[in-house]
Amino acid sequence: MGKKGKKDKKVKGAEKTASKMEKKMSKRSKKEEEDLESLIAEFQSLDAKKTQIIETPCSPPSPRLNASLMPHPEKDELILFGGEYFNGQKTFLYNELYIYNIKKNTWIKLDIPNPPPRRCAHQAVAISQAGGQLWVFGGEFASPDGEQFYHYKDLWVLHLATKTWEQIKATGGPSGRSGHRMVYSKRQLIVFGGFHESTRDYIYYNDVYTFNLDSFKWTKLSPSGTAPLPRSGCHMTTTQEGNVVIYGGYSKQRMKKDVDKGTVHTDMFLLKQEGEDKWLWSRINPSGVKPTPRTGFSMALGPNYRSILFGGVYDEEEEESIEGDFFNDIYFYDLVKNRWFAGQVKGHKSEKKKRRRGKKVEADTLESESALPPEPVEVIKEIVAEDGTVMTIKQVFSNQTASEGEEDECNEEDDDEDASLPVVEPCPRSNAMIAVKQGILYAYGGMFEVGDRQFTLNDLYSLDLHKMEEWKVLVEMDPKTQEWLDESDSESEEDEAEGAEGGAEEDDDEESEDDSDEDQHPQVEPDEKYSDYLQRTEQYWIQLARVNMGPDAKDKKVLKVAQAMAKTFYELKE
């Protein structure tokens, strides 16, 4: 009883502290919000000029992250709303609405009068009521310089049948926030967590609210048990019984003035409804292989009550710098069996040899290999932007083998002859948008970082979750969209404007210089395999990588970058 009493007091004390902090912060951020409200009002006045519904066939949406991508509940379509983009100098927020036609692989921009204000990091839920509805709650608006933030607490519904937006006026809901999570269960929306940030303070939440879709009323829940610590960006999904599962997330707390400590959460909780007004928090200890620690991952509910976790980033602090390890792996959580397992993309059947069931294939070797602990595998990739910048992406694979429950689903082994074939997959990223429609996973956009430079994506991939054979590229990443402006760029842009008449000739000169530089690299011989090319030219690429990375770079890392450069050049010339 003594220990339990101390725990209860500690929880109540934390709640009081959070309440005081929220009141204090709301006073400080009031003026900031008033300034941003006037800016939001200006945007809304522009939106108010829209008086009719306009559907415009268009190219894929511009790069963005922290948007919402939801499957249409009635049609073979995906619905994309909102999001943000940062080009190094300016932050852009969107309230655009796009419809992706899955069968035709085409996009439509849908302009509807009186839409919600521009936002990112909101939450959306699509349901099959009244011809289909998209419910949107909360999110964030940032000033163009990215220094001030406004957090929404509004609730909207998009009536898909009539193509109309409606703001729902209901009191008693959650306070303004972003990074929260929202799910649909038993005729109600359930909202958990999130954060509120101003230039001076921030606060993370672990409160739970429900919105009844019949009575249109908000209710703040007071579950018993030990709740998750306050957090944002967690994995939230519902079980077959209508209960809620929470995994992971991120929070930070102030240690002293100007010093914050971030926490990447890896714990797991179940929120269970035990009566009409009675809810209970309890910890979950799942079996299987849990995802490696990360933030910024994406989530969706897949077939057979398996929730999906994709991508993310884990920041490693090295002295005064922070280096992020970005991921593009998939983890499944089986809500029925309470277990995690890593998703293994097997490759297309034409590139594999089928394993005959019952046949003993080097059993002793396989058993000895399975006894060895799996180690993470690090792969270096490079993407060349339009301006010639080489973006080096470090990708870390968990290298987890499928457990017994999934072995029968992965009944193919690699064909040695095809092992050198390039694998199609999304590059590692965080804050992407994913959705599942008819057993197909779609992944759109997101971002990754190289040093101080942020790259925002607008590519689209799909993966059949039943077959797990290969990723398909539906929209390729366009290097021309990878704009990044440093502080010095504003001056250089003025210089370019003054000498614009001679721009074409200068561009031609630059192109010829690029071509001559490319010709200096060891050329790929006709019908030469990548493995032979690498063996022949590896020392050249190592020297080149050493020049670019400097004398202090570790030999192991130089070797990986050199091999990535060689492979990139080989694939370009192939």
Side-chain angles (χ1 to χ4, degrees):
M1 291 296 291
K3 287 184 179 179
K4 187 177 179 182
K6 285 182 179 179
K7 278 186 180 178
D8 290 341
K9 285 182 179 178
K10 194 173 182 180
V11 171
K12 289 179 180 178
E15 289 176 352
K16 286 182 179 178
T17 302
S19 178
K20 288 180 181 178
M21 191 174 182
E22 185 173 359
K23 290 178 182 177
K24 184 179 179 182
M25 187 181 64
S26 64
K27 290 180 180 179
R28 288 182 175 180
S29 61
K30 190 173 181 180
K31 187 178 186 307
E32 288 179 15
E33 293 191 347
E34 287 174 353
D35 294 339
L36 290 180
E37 280 176 354
S38 62
L39 184 58
I40 293 169
E42 287 181 25
F43 283 126
Q44 283 185 289
S45 65
L46 295 174
D47 290 330
K49 295 179 181 178
K50 299 175 182 177
T51 57
Q52 57 183 347
I53 301 168
I54 301 175
E55 296 186 25
T56 309
C58 62
S59 56
S62 60
R64 65 192 65 198
L65 65 153
N66 290 326
S68 56
L69 182 68
M70 301 303 298
H72 194 299
E74 304 288 342
K75 300 179 181 180
D76 287 334
E77 296 175 345
L78 304 179
I79 307 166
L80 178 72
F81 173 73
E84 64 176 310
Y85 172 72
F86 179 59
N87 68 0
Q89 290 185 353
K90 190 175 180 181
T91 299
F92 299 85
L93 276 297
Y94 305 107
N95 63 347
E96 299 167 328
L97 184 67
Y98 290 93
I99 305 295
Y100 174 70
N101 187 304
I102 293 173
K103 290 183 178 179
K104 297 179 181 179
N105 188 25
T106 56
W107 291 89
I108 288 177
K109 185 179 180 183
L110 191 55
D111 286 307
I112 298 176
N114 302 311
R118 305 175 182 213
R119 68 190 63 205
C120 66
H122 54 280
Q123 283 287 279
V125 169
I127 64 174
S128 298
Q129 178 175 298
Q133 294 178 336
L134 181 75
W135 289 82
V136 176
F137 172 75
E140 174 181 311
F141 179 87
S143 59
D145 62 5
E147 297 293 329
Q148 294 178 299
F149 306 95
Y150 180 89
H151 297 268
Y152 296 102
K153 58 179 180 180
D154 51 355
L155 179 65
W156 294 77
V157 58
L158 172 64
H159 300 283
L160 295 169
T162 58
K163 296 183 175 64
T164 53
W165 280 109
E166 179 187 359
Q167 184 175 5
I168 306 300
K169 303 287 188 178
T171 59
S175 57
R177 63 189 64 195
S178 59
H180 52 287
R181 292 294 178 257
M182 182 171 74
V183 294
Y184 170 73
S185 176
K186 295 181 179 179
R187 299 291 303 153
Q188 59 187 355
L189 306 175
I190 305 175
V191 177
F192 168 79
F195 73 98
H196 185 291
E197 182 177 9
S198 68
T199 53
R200 297 181 181 180
D201 293 296
Y202 54 81
I203 183 171
Y204 286 79
Y205 301 103
N206 65 345
D207 47 6
V208 186
Y209 286 80
T210 62
F211 181 78
N212 189 295
L213 293 178
D214 295 318
S215 65
F216 275 31
K217 290 183 178 179
W218 283 106
T219 301
K220 183 177 182 180
L221 303 184
S222 300
S224 56
T226 303
L229 292 172
R231 65 192 64 192
S232 71
C234 63
H235 181 103
M236 181 178 181
T237 191
T238 53
T239 68
Q240 197 168 2
E241 300 77 26
N243 300 319
V244 176
V245 174
I246 299 291
Y247 166 76
Y250 175 82
S251 64
K252 62 181 179 180
Q253 61 185 101
R254 179 113 341 131
M255 307 305 293
K256 54 184 179 180
K257 189 176 181 181
D258 298 328
V259 178
D260 299 322
K261 180 183 179 182
T263 301
V264 178
H265 300 281
T266 59
D267 47 5
M268 207 161 180
F269 294 83
L270 175 70
L271 179 61
K272 185 176 182 181
Q273 187 171 10
E274 297 191 321
E276 187 176 347
D277 299 317
K278 188 177 180 182
W279 295 74
L280 171 67
W281 279 114
S282 60
R283 288 192 70 117
I284 300 178
N285 294 308
S287 60
V289 181
K290 288 176 64 175
T292 55
R294 65 190 68 191
T295 62
F297 51 75
S298 308
M299 57 183 187
L301 183 61
N304 304 318
Y305 274 90
R306 289 176 171 178
S307 66
I308 300 162
L309 184 150
F310 168 75
V313 59
Y314 183 75
D315 290 329
E316 294 180 353
E317 296 188 17
E318 296 181 358
E319 297 178 356
E320 295 182 357
S321 64
I322 297 178
E323 182 178 355
D325 288 341
F326 286 80
F327 304 93
N328 66 348
D329 49 358
I330 295 175
Y331 283 86
F332 293 95
Y333 173 68
D334 192 314
L335 290 154
V336 177
K337 297 179 181 178
N338 185 29
R339 61 192 297 271
W340 285 97
F341 62 94
Q344 304 292 327
V345 180
K346 298 174 288 186
H348 197 273
K349 286 184 179 179
S350 63
E351 299 166 8
K352 300 288 179 178
K353 289 181 179 179
K354 289 188 177 180
R355 180 188 301 166
R356 293 180 182 176
R357 292 178 183 271
K359 182 180 178 183
K360 188 174 181 181
V361 184
E362 300 178 358
D364 297 336
T365 305
L366 291 173
E367 286 177 6
S368 63
E369 286 179 354
S370 62
L372 296 174
E375 297 181 358
V377 176
E378 186 178 296
V379 177
I380 304 294
K381 289 188 174 183
E382 292 195 341
I383 297 174
V384 181
E386 180 72 6
D387 61 2
T389 303
V390 178
M391 302 172 276
T392 303
I393 309 170
K394 182 165 71 172
Q395 181 177 351
V396 181
F397 292 97
S398 61
N399 199 26
Q400 301 288 358
T401 55
S403 54
E404 292 179 5
E406 284 70 52
E407 281 183 357
D408 57 348
E409 298 177 12
C410 305
N411 60 347
E412 297 175 353
E413 61 185 21
D414 290 340
D415 186 342
D416 294 335
E417 295 178 3
D418 294 323
S420 62
L421 290 174
V423 178
V424 175
E425 59 186 4
C427 74
R429 66 193 64 198
S430 69
N431 302 88
M433 288 65 70
I434 67 172
V436 176
K437 183 70 176 179
Q438 295 183 346
I440 307 294
L441 172 66
Y442 297 88
Y444 169 79
M447 60 82 71
F448 63 89
E449 295 173 341
V450 179
D452 295 331
R453 183 170 180 173
Q454 175 178 307
F455 293 91
T456 308
L457 306 165
N458 69 330
D459 48 1
L460 178 65
Y461 287 79
S462 69
L463 175 67
D464 190 324
L465 296 174
H466 296 295
K467 297 178 181 179
M468 293 294 290
E469 287 181 351
E470 61 177 348
W471 284 99
K472 292 183 179 179
V473 185
L474 303 176
V475 177
E476 292 186 7
M477 183 187 72
D478 185 359
K480 293 179 181 178
T481 64
Q482 301 307 310
E483 175 190 49
W484 186 258
L485 304 177
D486 295 319
E487 291 181 2
S488 58
D489 287 340
S490 57
E491 296 177 5
S492 62
E493 283 177 1
E494 291 177 5
D495 295 338
E496 287 176 8
E498 291 175 2
E501 293 179 359
E505 293 180 5
E506 290 172 7
D507 289 343
D508 291 340
D509 292 340
E510 288 177 6
E511 287 179 10
S512 62
E513 286 176 11
D514 291 341
D515 292 340
S516 62
D517 289 341
E518 210 170 77
D519 292 338
Q520 292 174 8
H521 299 319
Q523 295 301 302
V524 179
E525 296 178 356
D527 301 325
E528 186 176 21
K529 292 183 179 180
Y530 169 68
S531 56
D532 296 334
Y533 176 77
L534 179 63
Q535 184 176 2
R536 178 170 63 85
T537 64
E538 189 173 57
Q539 288 304 314
Y540 167 83
W541 293 107
I542 288 174
Q543 291 176 7
L544 185 61
R546 174 63 69 186
V547 171
N548 289 329
M549 299 174 69
D552 297 329
K554 295 180 181 178
D555 291 341
K556 187 177 179 182
K557 197 164 186 177
V558 170
L559 175 61
K560 289 180 179 178
V561 171
Q563 291 174 347
M565 293 169 71
K567 189 167 186 179
T568 301
F569 183 78
Y570 175 84
E571 290 173 353
L572 287 171
K573 291 295 183 180
E574 192 179 12

